[in-house]
Amino acid sequence: MEILDEEQLKMAETLLSDLFPQSLQVYGYIFQMNRVKSDHMDVLVDRWPDFRVILIRPLREKEGDFFKDVSVYSKDGDKLKKILLETEIVNWQNYLCLGIDLCYEEMITSIAATRGATGNKLAVCHMLRLQDPSHLPQTDSSTVAISSLDESHISLVNKTWKFGEGEHSVEFIKNMIRYLPTCCVLDTDGQPVAWILTYNYCALGMLYTQPEHRGKGYAKILISAISKKLHTQGYPVFCFIEEENQHSFRLFKSLGFTEEPSYRAAWFNFNQFG
């Protein structure tokens, strides 16, 4: 496989935009890489420009980098299987979190066993996209204070994130707050009581409202505000919702997000550290 250079990455963004929704996560990584130089990643293809497999591989240089997933888009299951079995593109001996179309579950499980990697399926998610933000509700700025997170809020976000791992995940969240769009609701003391962030592959995530402030509609306000911001800046507006999280699924659907029913995204965890 070959690593794409800057000019090829720009072309890849265009090519992948015609292959939604299956390509959207890989597209999101490349979209960010073409605009924000915050993460060190390789984008590899089996051939260029008529690729059948495209793989995002993070360069893990420090602890926080272990929260960066390997992400794969493939048009050809046989070619993908050959690459994963016969090359060292993916390191199956170290910790690995792999994001891929759920249709490849049996293949990934089999390859992992062959490679001696132990792990499990971490999550299966709906992908929801917002293509038209014009129907999102307006926010009354006189009653709700909306702002962006800053680095003083890293600890607050980290300790409430479902996948937070103490100090291990601090650097990951720091990069999200430093380089990517965020949105929060502030209380009268100027402290965040609810927030939403953008992952390094452009998806909305880490939506959270502190328990004592729930029931006030803050989640809907935040999704609307950040979706409008992202759309204005040319970002794709989408999120992944775990299948069991029906509350969030209904919330995003009520705001105009739609899904492709035949598609599910999955993450697989191997050689878990800690």
Side-chain angles (χ1 to χ4, degrees), residues 138-262:
Q138 297 296 318
T139 301
D140 184 352
S141 58
S142 66
T143 59
V144 179
I146 303 292
S147 185
S148 298
L149 295 167
D150 62 45
E151 292 187 36
S152 70
H153 305 135
I154 293 169
S155 177
L156 181 64
V157 174
N158 188 41
K159 70 182 181 182
T160 57
W161 183 34
K162 177 180 178 179
F163 297 108
E165 291 281 351
E167 290 303 310
H168 294 294
S169 48
V170 165
E171 193 68 24
F172 180 73
I173 293 171
K174 180 191 294 184
N175 280 343
M176 292 173 69
I177 290 176
R178 180 180 291 173
Y179 296 110
L180 306 171
T182 67
C183 197
C184 64
V185 174
L186 302 176
D187 64 14
T188 54
D189 295 321
Q191 296 302 309
V193 296
W195 51 84
I196 190 168
L197 288 78
T198 309
Y199 285 110
N200 54 353
Y201 48 88
C202 293
L204 301 177
M206 298 190 190
L207 176 64
Y208 186 83
T209 301
Q210 294 182 354
E212 63 272 24
H213 293 278
R214 292 173 184 168
K216 301 177 183 179
Y218 288 165
K220 186 173 291 189
I221 289 170
L222 289 172
I223 295 167
S224 298
I226 199 167
S227 295
K228 291 173 185 176
K229 178 191 293 188
L230 290 171
H231 189 268
T232 298
Q233 296 177 7
Y235 282 75
V237 183
F238 70 104
C239 64
F240 292 104
I241 304 294
E242 292 179 65
E243 285 189 324
E244 59 270 26
N245 190 350
Q246 287 300 302
H247 176 76
S248 290
F249 181 79
R250 290 191 295 269
L251 172 61
F252 278 89
K253 291 276 282 188
S254 74
L255 291 169
F257 284 72
T258 60
E259 72 163 335
E260 170 55 55
S262 64

Side-chain angles (χ1 to χ4, degrees), residues 5 9 15 23 27 33 56 68 73-74 93 96 129 136 146 167 181 185 201-202 230 234 258:
D5 62 27
L9 286 172
L15 294 172
S23 68
Y27 170 90
M33 292 171 69
I56 310 291
K68 298 173 184 175
Y73 167 72
S74 176
Q93 277 65 59
L96 170 65
R129 297 172 60 201
L136 291 170
I146 303 292
E167 290 303 310
V185 174
Y201 48 88
C202 293
L230 290 171
T258 60

Side-chain angles (χ1 to χ4, degrees), residues 113-130:
T114 300
R115 289 287 201 150
T118 58
N120 64 305
K121 185 168 57 183
L122 182 65
V124 176
C125 297
H126 301 276
M127 178 191 285
L128 297 175
R129 297 172 60 201
L130 182 69

Side-chain angles (χ1 to χ4, degrees), residues 1-4 26 29-30 33 39-45 54-60 65 68-72 83 87-91 96-98 200:
M1 296 184 81
E2 63 175 294
I3 298 175
L4 299 187
V26 167
Y29 275 115
I30 293 174
M33 292 171 69
D39 288 316
H40 300 294
M41 298 186 186
D42 288 334
V43 179
L44 301 105
V45 296
I54 184 164
L55 184 145
I56 310 291
R57 184 178 63 189
L59 304 182
R60 290 177 173 149
D65 292 343
K68 298 173 184 175
D69 307 335
V70 172
S71 184
V72 178
I83 289 169
T87 77
E88 300 306 317
I89 292 298
V90 172
N91 186 338
L96 170 65
C97 186
L98 177 66
N200 54 353

